């Protein structure tokens, strides 16, 4: 039943019964699927017709799809204007973000040109602006600093560095890292694993990019203040950098500082006006370009470099250098960093692309995007560009200024090419403090994400924990380790459970080779030391009775055992494997007498998530049956969720179900099972469930002499010490 909520606009309340496997089968008609034989799959794979060729071409080259519907009269002018506006921003951002990558500014123009050429043909988004992204640039820069630290320190021992200047060594590291990043993205696209971005939630990405913005802000302070600060890398590097900045704060270059402050104030005000009047402005005011041109002119005319000791961009590389092969030693040294860079680059680009695809009503393909960015980064790296993704601010300019397709992106790339080939020398007197100021002012959007903390705290405290944990981890430990911390915190919140409920997920098929591993991991994850402690404690308590003293334990069994005349003649220890074989039945939920202390076990429900289990063989079914009964017999409710229908059929055919294991234990979704547990346990007292393992239970007929021998054996193996009235 779906009802429209009266409280909130455009929201709906969805209500349906809680389904178990039994109730679902009763109310829903089963439709059998016609399964294809292996021969059918082989024939389909090798079948080649015009429709399949057309679909393959459209999938591999999305440009064919949107070029067929391109409306020249309506779209071309908007694409041209958008391309020029975006190109101006891309040039300035390329110069600025290259400083984050620890590279000469001219290589930022390479990143604004080469990756776009291939994305134009292979990408599925019509609006994102492909090029440098500050977070990726910073991550690349951290690797560059680690391998080529500079400041008089020797570079890493890498074959291929011989005879290269420090700048060229850094370019080799950045391009090789980008090449490897592209290989990772291309491989993931070919293997159809675009779904990987689902593990990077919006909350995690927000916390991570906020931390990256703080790192970027700190890294640009040395340019804004005109200080010569040695670059550092690794955990707590941000604290070390701030310490070095404050130590040298009295050496601040006043000209750089004043220039930076003026640039930041002017750019900030104009950007706010652009946002406020974007409906009235035909295109946003390209304030970055304007202040860059003015700064270049003033710096050249006033001779800032010589008169005020201002660090400028310096010699710009004219034209394009010949392609170069990546360095395999750099591959080995940077593989650990290349993978998270590939993931972050794709996740950011895909998130931005998804926003605009929804706004303009077209679809994007995650796997094809991976292929597009993979090829773009490989192609760009061959021509010395560094990691490419997209930037939200640049993409917003491309879309808001009238861009309809990637023709706008192609024009922006052509503008970067013109600057590289002919106009680069005009940027040589540009103070680097101007670039640092432009980087900082463009961090506003990412830094303002900190306002999400109170909102998340009110709405979902676990999401707030993910945000804060990711942000703090990335700030203190660095972006690569911080991302791992964020993923860890996010996974911990995913497996956060209701008290007394354990959810165990098996991420693969179960068969003869891994069934024991499955059982071991289940025991490791679900059973606690308390469970084993309580088992041994009760074992020793029963063993210590001479004869067994059941007085005071009337509430602990449902039918009191009768005295046995042959109790004193029993010579063997009886360790039953099935409670039904006992002459009495223990009530595991009862309270023990006051003189007996046994640790509680806060586990009443075990839920096995089989959503990823696609196959089970006979050995696995037998092992699963045994494992389930061990928990059922200590009165732990066991449920299995999201079990494949064909596995269910196999369980029926192999006589898996009996008087203890029922089909009612199976639920179609995890949500159904949890709701069922909550309803069932509604009236139960929390934390009042104690259990013992059945294989530790001793029959009440054990004689004292035998019991003493066993007790001493346990004690000698490091077991419990004897106690007079209380078993701990």
């Amino acid at each position: 039943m779906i009802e429209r909520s009266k409280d909130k606009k455009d929201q709906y309340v969805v209500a349906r019964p809680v389904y178990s496997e039994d109730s679902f089968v009763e109310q829903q008609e089963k439709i059998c699927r016609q399964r294809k034989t292996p021969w059918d799959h082989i024939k389909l794979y090798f079948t080649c017709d015009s429709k399949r060729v057309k679909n393959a071409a459209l999938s591999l080259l999305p440009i064919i799809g949107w070029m067929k519907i391109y409306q020249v009269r309506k779209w071309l002018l908007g694409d041209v204007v958008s391309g020029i506006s975006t190109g101006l921003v891309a040039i300035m951002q390329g110069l600025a973000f290259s400083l984050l990558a620890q590279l000469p500014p001219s290589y930022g123009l390479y990143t604004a040109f080469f990756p776009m050429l291939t994305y134009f043909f292979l990408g599925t988004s019509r609006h994102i602006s492909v090029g440098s992204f500050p977070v990726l640039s910073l991550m690349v820069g951290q690797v560059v600093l680690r391998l080529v630290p500079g400041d008089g320190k020797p570079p890493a021992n890498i074959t291929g560095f011989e005879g290269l200047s420090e700048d060229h060594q850094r370019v080799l590291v950045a391009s090789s890292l980008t090449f490897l990043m592209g290989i990772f993205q291309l491989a993931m696209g070919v293997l159809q694993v675009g779904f990987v971005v689902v593990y990077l939630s919006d909350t995690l990405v927000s916390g991570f990019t906020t931390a990256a913005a703080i790192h970027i802000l700190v890294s640009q302070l040395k340019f804004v203040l005109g200080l010569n600060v040695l670059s550092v890398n690794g955990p707590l590097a941000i604290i070390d950098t701030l310490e070095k900045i404050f130590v040298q704060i009295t050496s601040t270059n006043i000209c750089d500082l004043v220039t930076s402050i003026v640039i930041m104030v002017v750019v900030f005000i104009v950007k706010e006006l652009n946002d406020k009047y974007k409906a009235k402005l035909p295109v946003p005011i390209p304030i970055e370009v304007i202040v860059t041109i003015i700064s270049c002119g003033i710096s050249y005319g006033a001779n800032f470099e010589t008169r005020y000791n201002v660090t400028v961009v310096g010699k710009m590389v004219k034209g394009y250098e010949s392609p170069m092969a990546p360095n395999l030693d750099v591959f080995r040294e940077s593989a650990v960093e290349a993978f998270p860079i590939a993931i972050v680059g794709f996740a950011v680009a895909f998130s931005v692309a998804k926003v605009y695809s929804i706004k303009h009503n077209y679809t994007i393909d995650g796997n094809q995007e991976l292929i597009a960015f993979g090829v773009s980064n490989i192609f760009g790296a061959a021509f010395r560009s560094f990691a490419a993704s997209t930037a939200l601010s640049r993409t917003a300019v491309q879309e808001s200024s009238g861009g309809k397709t990637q023709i706008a992106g192609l024009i922006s790339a052509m503008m970067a090419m013109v600057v590289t080939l002919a106009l680069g020398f005009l940027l040589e007197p540009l103070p680097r403090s101007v670039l640092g100021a432009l980087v900082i002012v463009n961090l506003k959007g990412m830094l303002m994400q900190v306002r999400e903390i109170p909102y998340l705290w009110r709405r979902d405290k676990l999401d707030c924990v993910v945000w804060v944990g990711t942000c703090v981890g990335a700030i203190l430990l660095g972006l690569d380790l911080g991302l791992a911390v964020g993923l860890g915190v996010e996974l911990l919140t995913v497996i956060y459970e209701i008290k007394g409920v354990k959810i165990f997920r098996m991420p693969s098929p179960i068969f003869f080779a891994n069934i024991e591993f499955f059982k071991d991991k289940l025991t490791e994850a679900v059973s606690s030391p308390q469970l084993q402690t309580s088992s041994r404690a009760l074992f020793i308590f029963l063993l210590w009775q001479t004869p067994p003293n059941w007085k005071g334990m009337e509430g602990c069994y449902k039918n009191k055992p009768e005295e046995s005349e042959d109790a004193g003649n029993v010579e063997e220890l009886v360790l039953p494997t099935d409670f039904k074989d006992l002459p009495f039945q223990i009530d595991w939920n009862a309270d023990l007498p006051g003189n007996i202390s046994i640790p509680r076990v806060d586990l009443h429900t075990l839920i096995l998530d089989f959503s990823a289990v696609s196959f089970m063989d006979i050995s696995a079914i037998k092992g699963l049956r045994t494992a389930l009964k061990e928990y059922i017999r200590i009165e732990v409710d066991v449920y299995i969720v999201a079990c494949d229908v064909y596995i269910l059929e196999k369980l029926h055919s192999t006589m898996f179900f009996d008087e203890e294991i029922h089909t009612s234990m199976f639920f179609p979704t995890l949500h159904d099972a949890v709701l069922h547990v909550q309803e069932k346990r509604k009236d139960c007292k929390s934390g009042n469930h104690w259990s013992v393992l059945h294989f530790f239970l001793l029959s009440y007929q054990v004689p004292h002499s035998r019991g003493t021998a066993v007790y001493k054996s346990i004690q000698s193996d490091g077991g419990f010490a004897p106690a007079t009235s209380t078993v701990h």
Side-chain angles (χ1 to χ4, degrees):
M1 178 178 67
I2 303 178
E3 297 179 353
R4 184 163 183 170
S5 173
K6 297 179 181 179
D7 300 330
K8 296 181 180 180
K9 185 179 179 181
D10 296 332
Q11 292 196 7
Y12 293 84
V13 177
V14 181
R16 67 165 174 81
V18 174
Y19 285 120
S20 67
E21 186 63 29
D22 291 347
S23 60
F24 188 82
V25 170
E26 288 177 3
Q27 299 182 27
Q28 309 295 329
E29 180 183 358
K30 181 178 179 181
I31 300 176
C32 296
R33 185 181 70 180
Q34 185 67 31
R35 304 190 69 180
K36 294 180 180 178
T37 65
W39 178 244
D40 292 332
H41 286 287
I42 293 173
K43 288 194 298 183
L44 181 62
Y45 183 80
F46 287 102
T47 298
C48 184
D49 53 28
S50 58
K51 183 178 180 181
R52 190 170 183 184
V53 172
K54 178 182 176 181
N55 291 337
L58 289 174
S59 176
L60 186 60
L61 295 171
I63 185 177
I64 299 174
W66 59 262
M67 283 296 286
K68 287 170 57 179
I69 61 172
Y70 192 85
Q71 302 176 37
V72 177
R73 292 185 178 180
K74 290 184 178 181
W75 293 358
L76 183 58
L77 179 61
D79 279 342
V80 172
V81 173
S82 173
I84 295 172
S85 303
T86 307
L88 294 174
V89 176
I91 291 168
M92 296 303 103
Q93 289 187 348
L95 294 172
F97 296 161
S98 63
L99 299 182
L100 296 174
Q102 306 297 324
L103 301 174
S106 56
Y107 292 95
L109 299 180
Y110 291 9
T111 309
F113 176 67
F114 288 107
M116 186 63 232
L117 298 182
T118 48
Y119 187 86
F120 177 78
F121 296 98
L122 301 176
T124 59
S125 173
R126 303 175 193 170
H127 291 90
I128 64 172
S129 174
V130 177
S132 54
F133 177 55
V135 176
L136 289 191
S137 301
L138 183 64
M139 296 177 78
V140 170
Q142 291 177 343
V143 179
V144 170
L145 276 180
R146 180 168 63 83
L147 299 182
V148 189
D151 300 317
K153 298 179 182 179
N157 186 18
I158 292 178
T159 304
F161 276 2
E162 298 84 0
L164 297 180
S165 66
E166 184 179 289
D167 282 347
H168 284 92
Q169 289 176 351
R170 291 187 169 187
V171 170
L172 178 61
V173 171
S175 60
S176 299
L177 174 64
T178 302
F179 196 98
L180 183 57
M181 165 194 174
I183 291 176
F184 282 136
Q185 290 177 331
L186 180 59
M188 288 190 291
V190 171
L191 296 175
Q192 303 285 293
V193 292
F195 65 87
V196 72
V197 293
V198 304
Y199 295 103
L200 299 178
S201 66
D202 293 341
T203 304
L204 184 145
V205 172
S206 175
F208 178 78
T209 52
T210 302
I214 294 174
H215 276 283
I216 294 169
L217 174 63
V218 172
S219 71
Q220 296 306 292
L221 288 179
K222 64 180 182 181
F223 297 111
V224 170
L225 299 175
L227 300 176
N228 184 20
V229 177
L230 299 179
S231 300
V232 292
N233 195 16
L236 303 180
I238 190 171
I239 297 176
D240 194 11
T241 302
L242 286 173
E243 180 188 6
K244 292 180 178 179
I245 289 174
F246 284 114
V247 167
Q248 301 182 38
I249 197 69
T250 55
S251 303
T252 298
N253 187 307
I254 302 302
C255 182
D256 276 323
L257 179 61
V258 172
T259 302
S260 300
I261 292 175
V262 172
I263 293 293
M264 286 189 283
V265 170
V266 171
V267 173
F268 178 80
I269 292 174
V270 175
K271 278 181 171 289
E272 290 297 309
L273 293 175
N274 279 340
D275 289 339
K276 186 175 181 179
Y277 298 105
K278 61 183 178 182
K280 299 180 180 180
L281 292 172
V283 294
I285 300 172
I287 186 60
E288 289 100 334
V289 178
I290 295 173
V291 297
T292 299
I293 294 173
I294 294 174
S295 299
C296 282
I298 295 176
S299 175
Y300 178 77
N303 196 10
F304 275 10
E305 183 179 11
T306 303
R307 182 178 298 180
Y308 300 109
N309 197 28
V310 169
T311 304
V312 297
V313 168
K315 184 67 176 179
M316 292 284 291
V317 178
K318 185 176 181 180
Y320 294 107
E321 302 176 29
S322 58
M324 70 174 183
N327 187 287
L328 297 181
D329 286 344
V330 175
F331 279 9
R332 286 191 290 269
E333 292 287 340
S334 63
V336 174
E337 292 97 338
F339 186 73
I341 292 175
I343 295 295
V344 171
F346 169 65
V348 171
F350 185 78
S351 300
V352 174
K354 192 174 181 180
V355 169
Y356 289 102
S357 69
I358 294 173
K359 181 178 179 179
H360 294 277
N361 194 28
Y362 64 90
T363 60
I364 57 174
D365 184 345
N367 293 312
Q368 181 61 28
E369 285 294 292
L370 273 169
I371 293 174
F373 275 104
V375 174
S376 296
N377 278 301
I378 291 173
F379 177 70
F383 289 92
R384 295 172 171 80
S385 71
F386 55 89
S389 178
T390 189
L392 182 57
S393 58
R394 196 169 62 243
T395 299
V397 170
Q398 180 165 318
E399 189 268 344
S400 62
S401 57
K404 300 296 183 182
T405 66
Q406 283 299 343
I407 287 180
L410 188 62
I411 292 174
S412 71
M414 295 300 108
M415 292 191 64
M417 180 187 70
V418 170
V419 173
T420 302
L421 294 177
L423 303 178
F425 71 95
L426 296 176
L427 297 171
E428 291 179 359
L430 179 66
R432 292 200 176 196
S433 57
V434 173
L435 296 178
L438 291 177
V439 170
I440 291 175
V441 81
N442 275 287
L443 296 177
K444 178 206 166 190
M446 290 192 288
L447 290 173
M448 294 305 292
Q449 292 175 145
V450 74
R451 295 181 300 182
E452 295 180 13
I453 294 178
Y455 169 75
L456 290 172
W457 183 256
R458 291 192 302 268
R459 183 181 179 185
D460 191 329
K461 290 181 173 57
L462 290 179
D463 268 356
C464 186
V465 170
V466 171
W467 197 101
V468 174
T470 304
C471 186
V472 173
I475 290 173
L476 296 179
L477 302 178
L479 296 182
D480 47 357
L481 294 177
L483 181 60
V485 169
L487 287 171
V489 173
E490 189 172 52
L491 291 175
L492 286 177
T493 61
V494 169
I495 62 173
Y496 175 78
E497 298 155 1
I498 303 169
K499 187 175 182 180
V501 177
K502 293 283 188 179
I503 302 173
F504 184 87
R505 184 176 186 272
M506 182 63 180
S508 68
I510 310 176
F511 54 104
F512 67 91
N514 68 356
I515 180 60
E516 291 302 323
F517 175 80
F518 166 78
K519 292 166 67 176
D520 291 343
K521 288 298 178 183
L522 179 62
T523 302
E524 179 183 327
V526 175
S527 293
S528 66
Q530 288 181 323
L531 188 64
Q532 300 178 8
T533 300
S534 61
S535 305
R536 296 183 66 182
L538 184 59
F539 170 69
I540 295 170
F541 171 78
L542 294 177
L543 197 62
W544 195 249
Q545 305 304 307
T546 317
N549 181 12
W550 298 97
K551 187 176 181 180
M553 294 190 65
E554 288 83 358
C556 297
Y557 46 82
K558 297 177 181 177
N559 55 306
K560 184 177 179 180
E562 300 295 334
E563 293 290 341
S564 173
E565 297 179 358
D566 300 328
N569 299 324
V570 177
E571 295 295 333
E572 293 187 1
L573 201 67
V574 182
L575 294 174
T577 58
D578 194 331
F579 292 156
K580 295 181 297 181
D581 298 334
L582 295 176
F584 61 93
Q585 184 178 2
I586 294 289
D587 183 0
W588 303 104
N589 293 307
D591 288 330
L592 287 175
N595 65 335
I596 299 175
S597 176
I598 294 181
R600 301 288 180 180
V601 178
D602 295 325
L603 173 66
H604 56 69
T605 303
L606 170 63
I607 301 177
L608 302 180
D609 184 352
F610 273 26
S611 57
V613 179
S614 58
F615 170 76
M616 288 183 68
D617 64 5
I618 298 298
S619 299
I621 291 174
K622 290 180 179 179
L624 176 64
R625 194 168 185 265
T626 302
L628 295 187
K629 290 196 173 188
E630 289 181 359
Y631 288 98
I632 292 172
R633 289 171 181 175
I634 58 173
E635 296 197 0
V636 173
D637 296 332
V638 183
Y639 302 104
I640 297 178
V641 302
C643 185
D644 187 89
V645 62
Y646 296 105
I647 292 180
L648 268 174
E649 291 178 358
K650 193 168 187 177
L651 295 179
H652 280 287
S653 64
T654 54
M655 308 300 289
F656 179 79
F657 300 102
D658 56 20
E659 66 275 6
E660 289 182 294
I661 302 178
H662 313 110
T663 53
S664 59
M665 295 162 52
F666 287 70
F667 286 80
T669 69
L670 180 61
H671 188 62
D672 283 302
V674 172
L675 290 178
H676 172 76
V677 171
Q678 289 181 314
E679 183 66 25
K680 181 177 180 180
R681 308 294 303 186
K682 185 184 297 182
D683 300 326
C684 294
K685 293 182 179 179
S686 177
N688 195 37
H689 190 83
W690 63 279
S691 307
V692 296
L693 296 178
H694 67 275
F695 47 78
F696 278 115
L697 183 63
L698 188 65
S699 170
Y700 73 97
Q701 295 178 329
V702 176
H704 175 254
S705 59
R706 189 73 172 189
T708 302
V710 177
Y711 171 77
K712 290 179 179 177
S713 174
I714 294 176
Q715 188 180 18
S716 66
D717 289 337
F720 295 91
T724 54
S725 60
T726 304
V727 180
H728 295 283

